[in-house]
Amino acid sequence: MRILCPGGCSARPQPVSLGSASAGSLTTVLNNGPKVKGMTTDPLGSMKSALADEVNKALSEMGVEESFSPLQVARSPKDVDVYGLPVGFKIARHLRRKPDEAALLVAERIDASSIPYAEEVRVEAGYLNVRVSRETLFKDVLSLASREELGRGESKGEKLMVEHTSVNPVHPLHVGSGRNAIIGDSFARILDFLGWDVRRHYLVNDCNLQVAILAAGRSKIRHLKPKGKPDHWFGLIYAMANAILEIGRIKRGESEEGDLKEWEETIERVRAQDPEIAEGLTELDDRYVMDLLKRYQSGDPDAREVFREVAESVLKGFLQTLGRMGITYDQFDWESELIWESWVRKSLEKLESSGYLGRDGEAIYVDLGRAIREREDVRRIFGLTEDEVRRLEEEGRLEEVVPPRFYLTRSDGTWLYTGTDVAYSLFKVEATDVRRCYNVIATEQTLEQKEVRASLALMGYDPDFLIHFAYEMVNLVGVRMSGRRALYITLDDLLDEAKAKVMKILEERGMGRDPEIEEIAERVAVGALKYALINVSPTKVVQFRWERVLDFETNSGPFVQYSYTRAHNILKKAGEIPESFDPSKLSSDLEVSLVYMLAEFPEKVRSAYQLLRPDLISQYANELASTFNKFYETHPVINAPEGTREARMWLVMGVRGVLGKALDLIGVPRLERM
RNA sequence: GGGCCCGUAGCUCAGCAAGGAUAGAGCGGCGGCCUUCUAAGCCGCAGGUCGGGGGUUCAAGUCCCCCCGGGCCCGCCA
């Protein structure tokens, strides 16, 4: 497989034995943070773990069959320094006691000295609570936070792959593809921070019908020189080619008559943007397109030249935009090379020997219907038990729930994306040394991802090697988007618009137009867009509005960036950092809240990883920024009395460190001036 | 028809993984605060039958069942 790096480097991945490809289940990989005392990067987490351990130990000594997770340890709403578990309620019945009495029996067995940072253990309202010692906790938290070590995972010595973006190279990136890239990139950053060696891969889908349409269009106007940003220019050819093909189908009566007008409008849209393309590209037919695709897949040099020109040009345009947003990749895998370098053949051989490969004329498919009846591993992927499958079969409904055939090729022998996707999975397992691969792919592909995982299982691999990181689409409120109709709002448009607004704000503040100001505007714009697309739970549809991206107030990228800047500037002006500080000087509600909020950061990062929720980091960053701004309004640092000043400087260092790290993890640029 | 996802304030969303101690933010609306570390900020007011109904539980926004509403998928498209 050819490797293409932005820097022009080239390398070939080392094949690896199959044994190393097995993945542990998601849940066993997780624990509640580093356990080694004194070396932890999660002080509060170590307290929670120890508390849960102690309680569980006591319960098991008492013969009570209940247990608690460290994650259940929650802060008391009445007292900031108190964390606890609702032990009493859980075990009251087992012991035939009132909740408080029951909790007391547990409390008596607990050795507070074995719980880090615990000052005392007590029972309140059915809860078993520990009071935390600020003296030690605050020092550890702020020391770690200011060095940006809080929550960092030890090196795992293992590689994980994140495959993301992987957009068809046929038209410019729009907000939907942007969400994929932004979520995938953020998740990769989170994995990296937690100690994995992350490999970011982009699958270049250059072998499908869409690219063939573009390539066919391009082949008719090869004399034209690309103008402007390549993805935009080729995007017009793609829309033009689609319109011609659709109009042809309508005229032959193969498509709905009513669509004719909108395709004619598409042509006019292209003409308005680039008359050369509209005048040069006038005819195209489906057979020509299919033939070109077939030739490309079989390695024909002429076809290869035009396919590669369009795919590489559009990809180059993508990388400009993605680079602008700070999103980069370690490796680009070309779909065509999965075919040429026999990964498709190898996957077919493995499926053939599994006995689940079927043929329908010349078309090849995986016999999922039989696999689901016969294979437990395949049933598990579809969330079905043996009994359920049997019952569905008796009712004749099995095929409604699981499609019986998973087609890999067309009957003309060309590969479908499903076929190359199976081959790609085989490639990931065999040709890389990653332990797991996260596929950042839209939720609409959930079924296909299950089918691919089932195929992996049938080829003899652990299907849990592949994890579908599903995210929902972006709904541009009030805007109709269609790449095939040259109807889209591109990421470039959004970034430019946001940047223009930032420039205007900066000018209103009397900042001139110089390169530094431009750079600030660019970074604020990137922050605003990325934050808007990441700050929603991935499985929810994003309701995208211009106003939302251009709103730089609370709960926006710029808001968090601004808060970071404030923290940074306090420290810059305050001068030398004191060696130490007195934690008891941090005593106001806001100061104490801030430290505890920082202490929760490691848990947030682990949750983001475990639940596939980068938005948890952006939510957290917003809350931290908001609390910090309240502190900022009411707590002078530089002019504070001696003692208080040093303690607040440490607090601000901690906030800056965590806020900065949180911004890094969601890929929003840090700014020192704005 | 079947499968998956979503439904919390006028709008956009957290909270559901791990059921607990008074349902949270932001935007929008109304009213305040710039001789003090950047007002992209802060303070206050108004706004909720957590889609509906059952169930489990000492305890349900959170778990289970049914229903209603919305989205996506069920292609030899990707």
Side-chain angles (χ1 to χ4, degrees):
Chain A
M1 166 137 305
R2 180 166 147 232
I3 314 302
L4 188 126
C5 304
C9 61
S10 176
R12 192 169 278 269
Q14 296 299 308
V16 76
S17 69
L18 306 187
S20 67
S22 68
S25 80
L26 201 52
T27 47
T28 56
V29 173
L30 298 165
N31 59 40
N32 200 42
K35 288 239 166 71
V36 187
K37 211 176 150 186
M39 288 179 62
T40 183
T41 59
D42 181 9
L44 190 62
S46 71
M47 182 281 282
K48 290 182 175 184
S49 290
L51 171 60
D53 286 350
E54 282 293 310
V55 167
N56 290 338
K57 207 168 73 192
L59 291 178
S60 104
E61 282 168 13
M62 291 160 71
V64 178
E65 283 186 28
E66 284 285 353
S67 69
F68 291 89
S69 148
L71 295 160
Q72 286 170 278
V73 176
R75 173 99 74 92
S76 163
K78 290 172 192 148
D79 190 330
V80 285
D81 299 307
V82 170
Y83 285 80
L85 286 166
V87 173
F89 303 108
K90 273 278 189 300
I91 64 167
R93 193 167 17 163
H94 292 92
L95 300 180
R96 297 165 199 272
R97 303 266 188 154
K98 287 179 180 164
D100 275 354
E101 291 172 13
L104 217 48
L105 292 174
V106 178
E108 282 165 1
R109 291 172 174 269
I110 285 178
D111 175 15
S113 70
S114 67
I115 303 174
Y117 311 107
E119 214 163 54
E120 61 166 326
V121 173
R122 59 187 187 191
V123 169
E124 296 167 284
Y127 277 75
L128 188 147
N129 286 334
V130 301
R131 169 171 290 277
V132 164
S133 152
R134 292 180 186 176
E135 177 73 23
T136 50
L137 182 74
F138 282 21
K139 277 194 167 162
D140 287 355
V141 167
L142 293 181
S143 162
L144 286 161
S146 60
R147 286 180 286 128
E148 303 199 5
E149 289 300 316
L150 188 66
R152 186 187 296 279
E154 280 177 53
S155 174
K156 306 279 191 293
E158 272 179 344
K159 289 184 184 164
L160 296 184
M161 186 192 297
V162 179
E163 184 219 320
H164 68 84
T165 317
S166 301
V167 179
N168 269 349
V170 291
H171 55 63
L173 297 171
H174 53 71
V175 271
S177 23
R179 192 181 189 194
N180 183 313
I182 289 163
I183 287 176
D185 182 64
S186 170
F187 191 65
R189 289 162 183 266
I190 290 166
L191 293 178
D192 177 73
F193 184 60
L194 288 175
W196 275 284
D197 185 358
V198 184
R199 309 291 302 164
R200 300 152 209 235
H201 283 233
Y202 184 122
L203 173 66
V204 185
N205 297 286
D206 62 333
C207 262
N208 56 59
L209 221 40
Q210 269 60 45
V211 180
I213 289 168
L214 170 58
R218 172 57 167 164
S219 74
K220 301 279 186 185
I221 47 171
R222 297 220 61 178
H223 58 286
L224 295 183
K225 277 245 178 314
K227 285 186 295 194
K229 201 159 170 287
D231 47 337
H232 291 248
W233 192 76
F234 283 98
L236 293 176
I237 298 179
Y238 175 68
M240 191 70 202
N242 263 297
I244 293 168
L245 291 169
E246 286 292 341
I247 288 170
R249 281 177 212 139
I250 291 166
K251 289 191 170 159
R252 288 196 306 275
E254 291 165 20
S255 191
E256 307 239 330
E257 189 68 32
D259 290 333
L260 193 58
K261 201 174 146 228
E262 63 171 326
W263 293 111
E264 282 165 351
E265 283 167 6
T266 300
I267 289 174
E268 289 316 307
R269 239 185 330 267
V270 172
R271 191 187 308 281
Q273 292 179 64
D274 193 321
E276 266 187 354
I277 292 174
E279 272 147 40
L281 180 54
T282 51
E283 56 182 53
L284 208 57
D285 67 78
D286 290 307
R287 240 197 7 239
Y288 179 77
V289 173
M290 278 310 296
D291 181 59
L292 195 60
L293 177 61
K294 198 168 181 175
R295 279 164 51 211
Y296 183 50
Q297 292 199 353
S298 60
D300 174 89
D302 292 341
R304 180 182 166 125
E305 204 185 321
V306 64
F307 265 83
R308 281 298 166 124
E309 190 219 355
V310 302
E312 284 174 4
S313 301
V314 175
L315 185 61
K316 206 169 153 193
F318 287 176
L319 294 180
Q320 277 176 30
T321 306
L322 292 162
R324 204 178 160 186
M325 294 198 297
I327 297 172
T328 59
Y329 304 83
D330 299 302
Q331 186 169 317
F332 295 86
D333 303 321
W334 289 70
E335 188 184 17
S336 48
E337 288 169 26
L338 291 166
I339 297 173
W340 303 338
E341 298 194 3
S342 297
W343 289 100
V344 287
R345 186 179 50 75
K346 283 179 208 159
S347 62
L348 232 46
E349 283 166 6
K350 287 187 181 292
L351 287 166
E352 182 88 84
S353 62
S354 76
Y356 291 98
L357 203 65
R359 284 186 171 75
D360 173 9
E362 293 298 310
I364 298 170
Y365 63 86
V366 177
D367 192 348
L368 266 187
R370 194 155 61 78
I372 196 105
R373 286 190 293 263
E374 297 174 357
R375 301 264 305 220
E376 180 57 30
D377 52 358
V378 174
R379 283 193 289 269
R380 190 175 57 81
I381 291 165
F382 286 90
L384 294 168
T385 64
E386 195 172 1
D387 288 347
E388 284 166 342
V389 168
R390 194 182 304 118
R391 208 185 58 242
L392 285 167
E393 208 184 349
E394 281 164 8
E395 294 168 4
R397 293 180 47 229
L398 186 56
E399 297 193 357
E400 278 182 5
V401 180
V402 180
R405 290 178 177 184
F406 178 45
Y407 278 90
L408 305 177
T409 72
R410 298 187 181 84
S411 45
D412 68 357
T414 55
W415 290 91
L416 293 161
Y417 96 103
T418 47
T420 53
D421 213 3
V422 169
Y424 189 32
S425 305
L426 180 66
F427 167 82
K428 286 172 176 174
V429 175
E430 283 215 3
T432 74
D433 53 358
V434 303
R435 178 173 172 164
R436 287 195 300 279
C437 175
Y438 292 87
N439 293 343
V440 182
I441 300 179
T443 55
E444 61 188 16
Q445 302 234 36
T446 300
L447 174 60
E448 190 267 354
Q449 286 289 298
K450 285 179 181 171
E451 291 168 331
V452 169
R453 292 180 66 224
S455 304
L456 202 59
L458 294 174
M459 288 190 287
Y461 301 99
D462 181 355
D464 291 337
F465 174 86
L466 290 182
I467 294 158
H468 180 199
F469 188 136
Y471 71 95
E472 264 292 357
M473 306 309 291
V474 177
N475 179 32
L476 251 158
V477 180
V479 181
R480 186 181 174 212
M481 298 242 291
S482 166
R484 300 177 63 220
R485 295 173 178 82
L487 274 178
Y488 35 71
I489 293 177
T490 68
L491 284 182
D492 298 311
D493 296 337
L494 284 166
L495 286 168
D496 291 342
E497 180 106 356
K499 185 176 179 180
K501 181 174 174 187
V502 180
M503 286 300 292
K504 206 175 140 209
I505 292 173
L506 291 172
E507 273 169 34
E508 281 165 11
R509 291 184 190 176
M511 297 194 195
R513 266 190 183 268
D514 63 61
E516 193 202 340
I517 299 300
E518 286 252 1
E519 178 64 18
I520 290 170
E522 173 79 6
R523 289 161 78 88
V524 172
V526 167
L529 179 64
K530 291 181 92 173
Y531 188 95
L533 286 175
I534 215 166
N535 198 38
V536 178
S537 183
T539 55
K540 284 197 182 185
V541 177
V542 170
Q543 300 298 338
F544 193 89
R545 291 184 163 83
W546 280 98
E547 311 91 85
R548 183 69 192 84
V549 190
L550 300 177
D551 169 11
F552 303 155
E553 293 174 24
T554 308
N555 200 12
S556 73
F559 171 76
V560 181
Q561 290 173 311
Y562 183 69
S563 309
Y564 175 85
T565 300
R566 281 181 146 182
H568 180 79
N569 284 324
I570 290 173
L571 294 168
K572 203 169 83 184
K573 291 187 180 171
E576 208 170 310
I577 304 301
E579 292 271 315
S580 61
F581 70 100
D582 177 1
S584 71
K585 297 289 186 185
L586 299 174
S587 56
S588 75
D589 288 352
L590 280 171
E591 289 167 320
V592 171
S593 299
L594 272 174
V595 185
Y596 279 115
M597 208 176 258
L598 296 177
E600 301 276 358
F601 180 61
E603 190 176 310
K604 291 289 175 194
V605 180
R606 284 195 304 273
S607 294
Y609 155 65
Q610 181 179 8
L611 300 173
L612 310 178
R613 293 279 308 275
D615 61 298
L616 296 180
I617 307 285
S618 56
Q619 302 274 354
Y620 171 83
N622 179 58
E623 283 163 27
L624 179 60
S626 177
T627 306
F628 175 68
N629 278 320
K630 293 175 183 29
F631 163 86
Y632 183 97
E633 296 285 334
T634 50
H635 294 64
V637 176
I638 294 167
N639 295 321
E642 200 184 325
T644 302
R645 176 187 149 99
E646 286 71 23
R648 286 184 183 168
M649 279 178 75
W650 273 86
L651 176 58
V652 174
M653 274 197 291
V655 170
R656 180 180 64 176
V658 170
L659 219 40
K661 186 46 70 183
L663 285 170
D664 292 350
L665 293 183
I666 56 174
V668 172
R670 300 188 191 195
L671 283 164
E672 296 180 352
R673 182 186 163 207
M674 65 186 279

